[in-house]
């Protein structure tokens, strides 16, 4: 573990457990891991297994490490990892880890991992951010898919009682699509609003990038952020007092803010 700095060792152990064994809460983790280890040999094997996957996990959580930049499609991977970070959906990490182990470590197929990561980003946005599904349902689906893509438990039981077998990325993609029906997504998307500036920027950035072919908008930072549409509190500096003069009084400002919010509420 010395090769990689982790945000939280406990978090890594939990995500690893979810990706290979079963869903588990932080409070249940100690007891569930203890059940896996019955003697010193099993303890050593368990630690060696954790260590063998720790480096890839480290690159997943430390997005800006040089690891991804060595790949031709490293930029796409970094963008998707940052998108998941902007959406603040850490609980999808078990599926990313499982995909990295299968496609990068075992199959040496970085392109397939990149496709999976793009699908995970889309799934998180459609199912959780916009779909508003509960954390428990989201965790359940992520756990099922994590173990399926590893080949540990390829059979996933759907809510209607039917079963689906996950053999490859194509199967997993179809399963994700079955959980995020277009008609429901479009309805929820039209009604969606957020107070998170990071998430709001991510949505607007993604829309502009998709709709304006060939144009890559500036990333989130001092030169480009949501409040550039209209500042919540116009500057009172003497050299800027004429900016937004038509909406500086409280009533007019609130009126324009409400109008802008109605336009960007998705």
């Amino acid at each position: 573990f010395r090769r990689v700095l982790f945000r939280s060792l406990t978090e890594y152990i939990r995500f690893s457990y979810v990706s290979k064994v079963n869903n588990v809460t932080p409070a249940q983790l100690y007891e569930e891991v203890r059940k896996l280890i019955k003697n010193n040999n099993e303890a050593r094997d368990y630690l060696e297994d954790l260590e063998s996957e720790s480096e890839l996990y480290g690159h997943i959580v430390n997005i800006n490490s040089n690891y991804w930049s060595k790949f031709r499609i490293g930029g796409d991977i970094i963008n998707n990892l940052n998108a998941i970070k902007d959406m603040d959906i850490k609980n999808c990490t078990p599926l990313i880890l499982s995909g990295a182990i299968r496609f990068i470590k075992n199959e040496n197929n970085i392109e397939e991992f990149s496709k999976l990561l793009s699908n995970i980003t889309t799934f998180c946005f459609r199912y959780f951010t916009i779909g508003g599904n509960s954390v428990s349902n989201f965790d359940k689906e992520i756990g099922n898919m994590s173990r399926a893509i590893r080949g540990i438990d390829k059979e996933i039981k759907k809510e209607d009682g039917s079963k689906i077998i996950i053999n490859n990325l194509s199967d997993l993609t179809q399963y994700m699509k079955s959980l995020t029906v277009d008609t429901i997504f479009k309805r929820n998307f039209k009604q969606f609003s957020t107070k998170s500036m990071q998430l709001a920027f991510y949505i607007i950035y993604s829309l502009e990038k998709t709709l304006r072919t060939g144009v890559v908008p500036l990333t989130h930072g001092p030169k480009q952020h949501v409040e550039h549409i209209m500042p919540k509190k116009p500057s009172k500096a003497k050299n800027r007092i004429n900016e937004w003069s038509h909406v500086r009084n409280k009533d007019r400002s609130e009126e324009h803010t409400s109008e802008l919010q109605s336009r960007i509420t998705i």
Side-chain angles (χ1 to χ4, degrees):
F1 297 103
R2 288 175 295 180
R3 291 175 296 173
V4 181
L5 292 175
F6 293 140
R7 297 172 184 170
S8 167
L9 179 58
T10 303
E11 188 171 82
Y12 168 52
I13 294 172
R14 184 169 78 89
F15 288 155
S16 173
Y17 184 93
V18 170
S19 75
K20 289 182 283 191
V21 185
N22 204 351
N23 285 17
V24 63
T25 66
Q28 298 168 333
L29 182 62
Y30 174 75
E31 288 299 328
E32 292 303 315
V33 170
R34 194 173 69 163
K35 293 175 184 177
L36 296 177
I37 303 170
K38 298 179 178 63
N39 53 56
N40 289 342
N41 287 336
E42 289 186 358
R44 183 175 60 252
D45 291 344
Y46 180 72
L47 288 174
E48 288 176 351
D49 186 49
L50 282 176
E51 184 178 19
S52 71
E53 297 188 357
S54 65
E55 189 167 358
L56 272 175
Y57 175 79
H59 295 312
I60 290 168
V61 298
N62 298 306
I63 302 171
N64 296 317
S65 70
N66 294 327
Y67 178 78
W68 302 114
S69 60
K70 70 182 181 182
F71 299 109
R72 178 183 57 81
I73 53 176
D76 294 334
I77 293 172
I78 291 171
N79 288 339
N80 278 310
L81 289 174
N82 277 318
I84 291 169
K85 181 180 178 181
D86 288 342
M87 288 187 281
D88 193 22
I89 306 180
K90 193 185 299 183
N91 284 10
C92 69
T93 306
L95 182 51
I96 302 174
L97 177 61
S98 287
I101 297 304
R102 172 169 176 171
F103 297 121
I104 299 177
K105 184 178 180 181
N106 296 340
E107 299 181 7
N108 193 29
N109 191 337
I110 190 68
E111 286 79 11
E112 202 76 344
F113 173 74
S114 183
K115 291 176 185 176
L116 170 64
L117 187 57
S118 178
N119 290 342
I120 293 172
T121 305
T122 301
F123 175 75
C124 288
F125 184 71
R126 289 173 64 109
Y127 185 83
F128 191 69
T129 302
I130 303 299
N133 285 283
S134 68
V135 173
S136 60
N137 281 342
F138 180 74
D139 286 351
K140 181 190 74 172
E141 297 298 350
I142 289 294
N144 287 339
M145 291 189 285
S146 300
R147 296 182 289 275
I149 205 64
R150 277 186 185 261
I152 293 172
D153 186 0
K154 295 182 179 182
E155 186 178 274
I156 297 179
K157 295 179 182 178
K158 300 181 71 172
E159 289 187 359
D160 61 6
S162 62
K163 299 175 182 177
I164 183 169
I165 305 299
I166 306 295
N167 288 308
N168 50 44
L169 181 56
S170 178
D171 293 338
L172 188 67
T173 302
Q174 290 304 313
Y175 181 68
M176 287 180 175
K177 288 181 178 179
S178 74
L179 297 174
T180 57
V181 181
D182 281 348
T183 52
I184 297 176
F185 169 72
K186 289 177 181 178
R187 182 195 67 201
N188 292 338
F189 194 63
K190 289 178 181 179
Q191 300 170 351
F192 180 77
S193 64
T194 179
K195 293 182 180 179
S196 167
M197 289 297 104
Q198 263 192 312
L199 179 56
F201 183 90
Y202 166 72
I203 294 172
I204 296 171
Y205 174 91
S206 299
L207 287 171
E208 183 175 1
K209 190 176 178 181
T210 301
L211 296 174
R212 295 175 66 88
T213 306
V215 175
V216 180
L218 293 172
T219 54
H220 202 191
K223 293 183 178 179
Q224 180 87 328
H225 52 86
V226 174
E227 282 196 336
H228 268 193
I229 298 172
M230 176 181 172
K232 290 181 180 178
K233 296 181 180 179
S235 173
K236 294 182 180 180
K238 289 183 179 180
N239 63 332
R240 299 183 62 185
I241 201 68
N242 290 326
E243 294 178 1
W244 302 98
S245 57
H246 59 299
V247 294
R248 273 187 178 275
N249 71 72
K250 186 176 180 182
D251 293 339
R252 289 288 290 163
S253 178
E254 289 182 352
E255 176 187 328
H256 277 68
T257 301
S258 297
E259 181 181 354
L260 281 168
Q261 286 177 338
S262 69
R263 290 182 182 180
I264 65 173
T265 297
I266 306 304

